[in-house]
Amino acid sequence: MGRAFLVVIDSVGIGGAPDAGDFFNGDLPDTGANTLGHIAQACAAGEAEEGRSGPLALPNLDRLGLGAALKLASGMEGPGLGAAPEGRWGAATEVSQGKDTPSGHWELAGLPVPWAWHYFPDETPAFPADLIAEVARLAGTDGILGNCHASGTAIIERLGAEHCESGWPICYTSADSVFQIAAHEETFGLDRLLKLCQDIAPRLHEMKVGRVIVRPFTGEPGAFQRTANRRDYAITPPKPVLTNWVQNAGGRVYAVGKIGDIFTMQGIDELRKGPDAKLMDHLHDLVDEAEDGSLTFANFVEFDSLYGHRRDVSGYARALEWFDAEIGKVIAALRTGDMLVVTADHGNDPTWAGSDHTRERVPVLVAGTGAGALGQIGFTDVAAFVAGHLGVELPR
């Protein structure tokens, strides 16, 4: 029996979502957003030259069908993309009413989100008074800082010194269904921050807020840096998903990156974490070591967290080219009978207005099972492909 590797390159959308006009970055709808296509255009125009140069070079992903998927999804031909596909390829459309991490991953794992997420208004204060009072009580403080929509790095820069002096946690949100708490690992304490987020999470989950996110940082005023100790306290999926299906059928399930947080460790046997470079090491190791019949489910988050939200086109292009080189090694190391699926969970167009995710279709690129067009498919079809490859029966 072969193995399956499901790899999510976080936020690498390819445009064309039919309902993009229903989703906004500030006052601008997501209509026309295209993460991959606009990065490729910027590279070809010489507008992404920091740490790299020239047209976007993704030969391994393009051979699987990335350029073809981009054209299918949005009609755009990305400069430097468009090789004749050697893998199976398609473009997936989401039905869940969110452009966020849980919505995308749950649906890729076979479960569209069965409710509408709660979003906090883009105003100050953003949070209801009773929620803020409860956060302060749990933190043992007289109040909080922030209470608004914000970029994580920007709000830490703006309020970090005041936080260190007052001891009040920094609470903020975004266009996603999230409640984020930032605090200094030393002056506030990492364990204290983790406990605060864990304790307030049930209250937020009752409101159908998808995630409470731990955002620790270190350093001094003017030089604060977020650390790798982020953690997401997410709502548990209300029904079994792909990880459960595989595990219940006797297969071992490995989670790489924030997959464990997204699925609250449901159906997961082993979790491996770290920054993206370390996650790639884990993926290489699992290609060598994982048992027959196993599922490795990986998420590479830094496309989104370091480059998409920060609207860093050059950085996003560098990350894509790094990933392409590494995934080429993964493809070369696959065993006969293995399946590798590379996809994404939403978009985050670094050329777009605002700093939030963008509603887009995503590529579905498959190595190890021959060549051919999958066409326009749904996110849940990805779960069905993986389950079918592993001989796992879909729930009725």
Side-chain angles (χ1 to χ4, degrees), residues 98-186:
K99 52 176 181 175
D100 54 84
T101 295
S103 296
H105 282 78
W106 287 15
E107 197 166 325
L108 288 169
L111 179 66
V113 177
W115 53 64
W117 296 112
H118 177 80
Y119 299 94
F120 294 107
D122 190 0
E123 56 191 40
T124 303
F127 308 125
D130 59 337
L131 175 62
I132 293 314
E134 181 65 6
V135 173
R137 184 189 72 80
L138 291 170
T141 61
D142 293 329
I144 68 163
L145 301 175
N147 202 352
C148 60
H149 280 233
S151 159
T153 51
I155 200 168
I156 289 168
E157 181 179 351
R158 177 164 63 89
L159 296 177
E162 184 179 354
H163 158 74
C164 290
E165 183 176 344
S166 68
W168 290 14
I170 302 170
C171 302
Y172 62 102
T173 188
S174 71
D176 288 345
S177 180
V178 295
F179 186 86
Q180 306 190 71
I181 306 181
H184 198 283
E185 286 194 358
E186 296 160 8

Side-chain angles (χ1 to χ4, degrees), residues 21-370:
D22 297 334
F23 296 82
F24 290 80
N25 266 269
D27 295 329
L28 183 69
D30 287 342
T31 306
N34 192 321
T35 301
L36 178 67
H38 288 156
I39 292 171
Q41 289 181 339
C43 290
E47 298 170 353
E49 297 289 301
E50 296 178 17
R52 61 165 308 282
S53 186
L56 187 64
L58 306 176
N60 294 302
L61 292 171
D62 199 29
R63 277 195 295 271
L64 287 181
L66 182 60
L70 173 65
K71 186 174 181 179
L72 175 65
S74 60
M76 183 181 291
E77 295 188 11
L81 302 173
E86 299 175 8
R88 297 173 71 199
W89 59 275
T93 302
E94 184 176 11
V95 299
S96 299
Q97 291 304 300
K99 52 176 181 175
D100 54 84
T101 295
S103 296
H105 282 78
W106 287 15
E107 197 166 325
L108 288 169
L111 179 66
V113 177
W115 53 64
W117 296 112
H118 177 80
Y119 299 94
F120 294 107
D122 190 0
E123 56 191 40
T124 303
F127 308 125
D130 59 337
L131 175 62
I132 293 314
E134 181 65 6
V135 173
R137 184 189 72 80
L138 291 170
T141 61
D142 293 329
I144 68 163
L145 301 175
N147 202 352
C148 60
H149 280 233
S151 159
T153 51
I155 200 168
I156 289 168
E157 181 179 351
R158 177 164 63 89
L159 296 177
E162 184 179 354
H163 158 74
C164 290
E165 183 176 344
S166 68
W168 290 14
I170 302 170
C171 302
Y172 62 102
T173 188
S174 71
D176 288 345
S177 180
V178 295
F179 186 86
Q180 306 190 71
I181 306 181
H184 198 283
E185 286 194 358
E186 296 160 8
T187 62
F188 189 89
L190 178 59
D191 289 344
R192 182 183 173 199
L193 175 59
L194 288 164
K195 187 175 189 309
L196 171 60
C197 292
Q198 183 177 32
D199 288 348
I200 197 62
R203 172 74 173 272
L204 274 300
H205 293 167
E206 287 177 5
M207 298 169 63
K208 291 298 185 284
V209 175
R211 289 177 293 163
V212 175
I213 305 179
V214 180
R215 289 294 195 181
F217 63 96
T218 58
E220 303 294 330
F224 291 124
Q225 294 286 333
R226 294 202 297 197
T227 75
N229 291 318
R230 164 183 170 157
R231 181 165 178 182
D232 293 25
Y233 291 97
I235 293 180
T236 298
K239 294 182 180 179
V241 295
L242 177 63
T243 54
N244 304 106
W245 307 344
V246 174
Q247 190 182 66
N248 292 343
R252 188 167 179 83
V253 178
Y254 296 92
V256 178
K258 64 179 185 178
I259 297 298
D261 290 339
I262 294 166
F263 294 101
T264 62
M265 292 301 293
Q266 299 300 301
I268 293 169
D269 294 291
E270 184 177 328
L271 173 63
R272 303 189 184 190
K273 300 194 74 173
D276 275 11
K278 184 62 176 178
L279 299 183
M280 187 59 74
D281 290 339
H282 291 319
L283 181 58
H284 287 310
D285 290 342
L286 287 164
V287 170
D288 289 338
E289 302 166 2
E291 303 91 337
D292 287 348
S294 65
L295 167 65
T296 295
F297 197 168
N299 170 282
F300 289 84
V301 71
E302 291 175 6
F303 300 97
D304 185 58
S305 62
L306 297 186
Y307 309 116
H309 286 300
R310 301 182 190 184
R311 297 303 189 245
D312 181 352
V313 179
S314 294
Y316 209 129
R318 289 196 309 271
L320 283 168
E321 290 171 340
W322 165 79
F323 180 86
D324 184 83
E326 293 296 325
I327 209 67
K329 300 173 189 175
V330 170
I331 293 169
L334 294 174
R335 303 173 189 167
T336 301
D338 286 346
M339 167 192 273
L340 167 70
V341 181
V342 179
T343 187
D345 53 343
H346 50 71
N348 199 340
D349 188 340
T351 73
W352 212 243
S355 61
D356 295 316
H357 296 156
T358 43
R359 179 74 163 187
E360 302 179 42
R361 288 183 167 122
V362 301
V364 179
L365 312 175
V366 186
T369 63

